[in-house]
Amino acid sequence: IFTKMRKLKADISAAFPSLSADELSELVPNKEELNVVKIYVHKGDSVTLYVLHKNPLFFELEKRLYPTVYVLWRYPTILPTFRTWPPVLQKLIGGADLMLPGVVAPSSGLPDVKQGDCCSVTLVNNRAPVAVGTAAVSRDEMHSLGMKGRGVCVLHAYMDNLWAFGDKSGPPPLPDAESEGQGVNGEEYEVDDMEEEEAEKCVEEEQSPCQTVTDQACSGIEELSLTEQEEEKGDKGNEEEEGNQDDQKMPQELMDALLLQCFLHALKSKVKKTDLPLLTSTFLRNHMFACCNLISRNPAFIQCFFQQLSKFLQAMQKQHNLVRVKELTKGVESIVEVDWKNPELRSIKVPEETDVEATPVQDGGEGEPLYHPPEITTLYSVSARLEPLFLDAKKRKGTILQPAEVRHIVTEYVKKNELVDENNKNYVTINPTLCDCLLDKSEYQEVESLKWDDLFSRTLERMQECYQVVFPGQAPIKKKGHIEPIDISVASRGSNKKVTLVKNLEVYGLDPAVVATALQRRVQASSVLQPIPGSKDKVLVQIQGNQIHQVGNLLQGHYQIPRKYIQGLDKAPKGGKKK
């Protein structure tokens, strides 16, 4: 035990060198009992938690340590920090990454980070971090990109399931000296491109983080009764603030109706028969959250629902006969059956979607342009052997031609040299030039003529294949060789762990970070970007589990990449269970 404790301390010290020896001893006391918890998420993938006094301090993912918000609230400076506006917090809670347009740069400039460095996210009115993740790009690239695109790939955020594993406390008020100087701490401020009322609600939500929803608040779940309860506050001088919080509460009847509407909406518009059995956690994060945001932006409504999912699903099963929930593995519930003929489900009208769920590629991507697939054309380059055939057309070795141009040049050469067979015009007589260019040595004495189709095919076979890629609004890109397909493969990591690897996305103009985030949201599994050895400009997308089906659906369905340019789809697991 002591050996493991020493190793953990050494790993923490190496990962976070700014922690002093005293701080490290205070964080992980020698005489305290530290629990190591392995949690299984998303189809069996595991994450190791280090828990002290019921609060997770660190989590280990892919052999790398990350601090939780509970640690960062005590030591907020151990990671480089990016600031953003309070209204963005709700998006981070929902699983979005932090985009560069939402970053508030301090007067000292952005932190000096490299791609993949661990970093935290804070709000302009509080230095207490609310999210942990990795830098999507380096600081220099952030500036070169004009502060557009993805900034921080969020792994863990305040109010997510990892936070809920602990005591569910809120961020402490840590004054931000620079924000105070700008007049944003406790004062009104403007947020670009956001309605003032929405911004104020988000600020209020952040300034009163100690508000919690107790188990008693939802004790009447059998009647779909979910109401928010405030903790008793010792300071009676906050009556005005408490009054503002009461204004955010919702009538019980409205809460019940909205919950049912969100649930029906998610089932009808998001869930397919092939998705079953579906983990309840996946249903919540991947489907239900988007519907909650679409139907109601009230934080009390969303927060209360998140903490009572299990009881709510039981009510949907027993009273409304909409779904059947079963514990397929110990402690993990799944929706195994949906009554698609239920009158309530059939009669629900799905509201129009305007959020990012409708376009996964744009998740969290303010200002990102829509992706349009490139136009790919096969071309041919004149080889040294065929150069005599193309001399009359003034095409030298290395000249790149369209297939139609090759046919035209060969046709003109045949006509100019009167090589069309007089007895059968479907054949072309072989002259010395055609013999040297198109025939094998064994055919020199045997073949005297060729059909037109054979003539063209032999010509193309002996030319060097090239390809042209044209992206909308850009100049054509021509390269020699075959275009590399998007390669999808499955690899093993550790004992019985599977990860899906996707590479060559850049060839088709796809941003690996954007694709990784879209996949992460679709399958609710962690994803990372890794450099490809020997390649300077390419990275590998790695996502947990065998996700070939989902990757194929995203590439073909959303990005419209033709199947012939995707390699590895045949390795997808066979879907469907016999009933």
Side-chain angles (χ1 to χ4, degrees):
I1 295 176
F2 293 110
T3 303
K4 291 183 179 179
M5 183 74 81
R6 283 197 298 270
K7 183 181 183 305
L8 175 62
K9 282 190 171 183
D11 291 343
I12 294 173
S13 180
F16 313 104
S18 62
L19 276 174
S20 67
D22 292 339
E23 289 174 334
L24 184 58
S25 297
E26 181 183 350
L27 184 61
V28 187
N30 291 326
K31 296 183 181 181
E32 296 286 349
E33 182 180 351
L34 184 73
N35 296 318
V36 180
V37 181
K38 182 170 286 188
I39 59 174
Y40 290 88
V41 295
H42 313 306
K43 300 182 181 179
D45 299 320
S46 66
V47 176
T48 302
L49 305 183
Y50 297 95
V51 184
L52 181 68
H53 299 152
K54 298 184 179 180
N55 274 348
L57 300 182
F58 297 91
F59 63 99
E60 187 175 346
L61 181 64
E62 300 291 336
K63 297 183 179 181
R64 183 176 179 182
L65 276 179
Y66 299 89
T68 67
V69 290
Y70 293 110
V71 168
L72 293 176
W73 291 341
R74 295 170 62 182
Y75 306 102
T77 60
I78 65 173
L79 292 180
T81 300
F82 291 87
R83 292 192 308 160
T84 188
W85 298 105
V88 180
L89 175 60
Q90 194 63 38
K91 296 292 185 183
L92 299 181
I93 293 172
D97 291 331
L98 178 64
M99 307 305 294
L100 290 175
V103 172
V104 180
S107 57
S108 57
L110 296 175
D112 187 8
V113 295
K114 298 178 181 178
Q115 185 179 20
D117 282 358
C118 187
C119 51
S120 64
V121 179
T122 66
L123 305 178
V124 292
N125 60 352
N126 194 346
R127 287 191 303 113
V130 294
V132 181
T134 57
V137 292
S138 67
R139 182 182 66 176
D140 293 340
E141 288 177 294
M142 292 179 186
H143 289 302
S144 65
L145 292 171
M147 293 301 288
K148 293 182 180 179
R150 203 168 309 279
V152 178
C153 300
V154 176
L155 298 174
H156 156 54
Y158 164 57
M159 289 187 69
D160 66 6
N161 287 333
L162 181 55
W163 165 85
F165 191 89
D167 61 16
K168 300 181 183 178
S169 57
L174 301 178
D176 186 344
E178 183 159 348
S179 295
E180 286 182 344
Q182 295 172 354
V184 299
N185 190 18
E187 300 179 12
E188 293 184 1
Y189 57 89
E190 295 182 358
V191 181
D192 292 339
D193 300 327
M194 292 187 181
E195 294 181 1
E196 184 177 355
E197 183 178 353
E198 280 296 315
E200 289 176 355
K201 286 183 180 180
C202 291
V203 173
E204 289 172 3
E205 178 69 11
E206 175 55 26
Q207 288 177 340
S208 55
C210 294
Q211 178 184 1
T212 61
V213 180
T214 65
D215 291 338
Q216 294 178 351
C218 301
S219 60
I221 190 66
E222 287 75 11
E223 294 78 32
L224 296 181
S225 174
L226 296 178
T227 58
E228 183 181 23
Q229 302 289 334
E230 290 190 344
E231 291 184 346
E232 293 184 2
K233 300 181 181 179
D235 187 358
K236 295 182 180 180
N238 292 335
E239 292 180 359
E240 182 178 353
E241 183 179 346
E242 291 179 12
N244 291 337
Q245 291 293 334
D246 289 337
D247 292 340
Q248 289 191 11
K249 291 185 179 180
M250 300 176 65
Q252 178 178 317
E253 296 79 5
L254 178 58
M255 182 82 77
D256 297 345
L258 286 175
L259 276 174
L260 183 58
Q261 187 180 358
C262 285
F263 182 73
L264 294 172
H265 174 204
L267 281 182
K268 190 165 186 175
S269 63
K270 310 288 183 184
V271 180
K272 300 177 182 178
K273 292 181 181 180
T274 54
D275 294 334
L276 303 179
L278 178 66
L279 290 173
T280 56
S281 58
T282 302
F283 173 74
L284 174 66
R285 292 289 178 185
N286 213 24
H287 306 311
M288 194 74 184
F289 183 80
C291 298
C292 288
N293 272 337
L294 183 61
I295 294 172
S296 174
R297 300 275 179 179
N298 189 295
F301 165 67
I302 297 173
Q303 182 185 21
C304 187
F305 173 75
F306 270 51
Q307 297 193 6
Q308 297 298 328
L309 175 65
S310 179
K311 294 180 181 179
F312 178 80
L313 289 176
Q314 292 298 327
M316 292 295 97
Q317 176 175 265
K318 293 177 181 179
Q319 295 187 13
H320 293 258
N321 297 317
L322 278 164
V323 294
R324 186 163 67 88
V325 180
K326 188 176 180 181
E327 196 173 280
L328 296 180
T329 57
K330 188 175 182 180
V332 181
E333 290 185 335
S334 298
I335 299 174
V336 296
E337 189 176 324
V338 177
D339 182 8
W340 303 105
K341 296 181 180 179
N342 186 286
E344 290 180 286
L345 183 59
R346 296 183 66 178
S347 62
I348 187 72
K349 291 184 178 180
V350 178
E352 291 186 10
E353 294 192 28
T354 57
D355 61 336
V356 293
E357 185 70 13
T359 54
V361 68
Q362 298 295 337
D363 274 344
E366 295 93 340
E368 288 186 14
L370 285 172
Y371 173 81
H372 296 283
E375 181 182 339
I376 303 170
T377 307
T378 300
L379 303 176
Y380 295 90
S381 172
V382 177
S383 61
R385 181 178 177 179
L386 292 186
E387 190 173 19
L389 181 58
F390 289 87
L391 280 179
D392 289 348
K394 299 181 180 180
K395 304 297 181 183
R396 297 290 180 177
K397 175 186 173 182
T399 304
I400 296 176
L401 302 170
Q402 297 271 1
E405 292 179 288
V406 175
R407 292 177 66 93
H408 176 73
I409 292 172
V410 172
T411 302
E412 290 300 313
Y413 176 86
V414 170
K415 291 180 177 179
K416 181 179 179 181
N417 291 276
E418 300 179 349
L419 298 176
V420 178
D421 193 313
E422 294 181 357
N423 299 322
N424 189 343
K425 294 186 178 181
N426 291 327
Y427 283 83
V428 175
T429 302
I430 300 299
N431 68 355
T433 299
L434 292 180
C435 179
D436 292 338
C437 292
L438 304 181
L439 298 185
D440 296 330
K441 289 184 178 180
S442 61
E443 297 175 319
Y444 284 178
Q445 304 299 325
E446 299 177 2
V447 179
E448 296 181 352
S449 62
L450 292 172
K451 285 187 175 181
W452 279 102
D453 288 344
D454 194 11
L455 182 73
F456 293 136
S457 62
R458 283 175 179 250
T459 302
L460 294 177
E461 286 172 3
R462 285 158 175 76
M463 298 180 75
Q464 184 175 2
E465 190 170 322
C466 308
Y467 64 91
Q468 174 180 278
V469 180
V470 181
F471 293 98
Q474 298 184 25
I477 301 172
K478 296 180 180 179
K479 292 187 177 182
K480 293 183 178 181
H482 297 274
I483 187 169
E484 292 181 284
I486 296 176
D487 184 74
I488 310 171
S489 60
V490 176
S492 297
R493 295 286 187 271
S495 58
N496 202 28
K497 278 187 180 179
K498 300 291 185 183
V499 294
T500 302
L501 309 175
V502 187
K503 63 181 180 180
N504 297 333
L505 293 168
E506 300 89 345
V507 176
Y508 299 84
L510 290 168
D511 184 346
V514 174
V515 175
T517 302
L519 285 171
Q520 183 175 337
R521 301 237 170 91
R522 282 199 173 202
V523 303
Q524 288 299 289
S526 64
S527 62
V528 294
L529 299 179
Q530 297 180 342
I532 299 177
S535 179
K536 295 181 180 179
D537 304 322
K538 293 183 181 180
V539 296
L540 185 76
V541 175
Q542 175 179 306
I543 188 162
Q544 293 185 359
N546 187 333
Q547 311 293 356
I548 292 181
H549 262 313
Q550 292 289 353
V551 176
N553 290 340
L554 180 69
L555 293 176
Q556 295 180 90
H558 185 81
Y559 293 113
Q560 300 297 310
I561 303 294
R563 185 184 177 91
K564 64 180 179 179
Y565 297 122
I566 304 174
Q567 178 178 290
L569 293 178
D570 55 320
K571 300 174 185 176
K574 295 180 180 179
K577 291 186 177 181
K578 294 182 179 180
K579 296 185 178 179

